[in-house]
Amino acid sequence: APRWPALHIVTMLVIAFLLAYAAALHDQADSRQELLRLAIQVGALGGFCAVLRSIAGKLARERARLEAANRALDAERRAVARSLRSLQDLRKAIEARMLVSITDRRGRIIEANDYFCERSGYSRQDLIGMDHRILDAGVHSQDFWREMWRTIRSGTAWQGEMCCRGYNVMKG
């Protein structure tokens, strides 16, 4: 089945017209020269159609390649969306039961989860920009704090337990 049926119909009509014209010229004395010219035009038209068919084939192959790439991209988008939902669920689970604070390299708190705020007694606004000394209950040694900050400054997440003084203890 032709990819572009309208093009083939037009081509056939042009060839039929040229053949009818050639038949009319056949009865005339100078028709040989004119028939040769018409044959060249029909040949050129056939070559042009072959070029168009070649281009149409290339376009069809490129379209198929792009559609396959688009399907692969859609599959990747769905996989990323699933991963993001999974990470969001994991974060919710962690933040529901763990005290989480995030600091910059200088040790200033840039984020604290709700559970951290609830347990410390400080609002998020009170904590942002402060360092963890605000929570120091005086229980831990200097070595404890140095090791904690060394870990944080190295870009590694510090995990451990610390005895903290909360807002109510400081103000009360």
Side-chain angles (χ1 to χ4, degrees), residues 6-82:
L7 176 65
H8 289 284
I9 291 170
V10 169
T11 303
M12 297 311 276
L13 287 173
V14 169
I15 290 172
F17 170 76
L18 291 175
L19 288 174
Y21 184 62
L25 288 176
H26 188 268
D27 296 332
Q28 296 178 7
D30 294 327
S31 64
R32 283 187 189 167
Q33 194 77 9
E34 191 62 25
L35 282 175
L36 181 59
R37 187 180 66 75
L38 284 175
I40 291 170
Q41 287 176 350
V42 168
L45 185 58
F48 177 70
C49 288
V51 168
L52 285 180
R53 280 191 299 275
S54 173
I55 291 170
K58 288 177 183 177
L59 287 173
R61 287 187 298 278
E62 183 63 14
R63 180 179 180 164
R65 186 189 69 76
L66 289 173
E67 286 172 349
N70 200 25
R71 284 190 301 274
L73 186 57
D74 286 343
E76 285 294 319
R77 281 188 194 123
R78 286 189 300 276
V80 166
R82 280 191 306 273

Side-chain angles (χ1 to χ4, degrees), residues 73-165:
L73 186 57
D74 286 343
E76 285 294 319
R77 281 188 194 123
R78 286 189 300 276
V80 166
R82 280 191 306 273
S83 294
L84 181 58
R85 282 190 302 274
S86 179
L87 287 173
Q88 288 169 336
D89 291 345
L90 181 60
R91 181 177 180 170
K92 285 179 190 175
I94 288 171
E95 288 190 353
R97 299 307 306 155
M98 295 180 75
L99 302 173
V100 178
S101 66
I102 301 171
T103 65
D104 61 16
R105 289 217 175 238
R106 296 177 310 159
R108 302 284 178 205
I109 298 171
I110 58 174
E111 181 61 48
N113 71 346
D114 291 339
Y115 195 53
F116 187 97
C117 295
E118 177 188 320
R119 294 299 301 261
S120 70
Y122 288 95
S123 71
R124 189 171 281 109
Q125 293 80 9
D126 289 335
L127 291 168
I128 302 299
M130 301 300 288
D131 65 28
H132 285 86
R133 285 185 212 129
I134 194 172
L135 304 171
D136 185 0
V139 173
H140 300 288
S141 69
Q142 289 296 325
D143 289 338
F144 171 87
W145 293 107
R146 269 194 290 275
E147 185 57 35
M148 183 189 83
W149 289 117
R150 186 177 302 122
T151 302
I152 292 170
R153 285 190 183 105
S154 74
T156 305
W158 179 83
Q159 297 179 9
E161 293 184 19
M162 95 175 47
C163 183
C164 296
R165 111 181 117 185

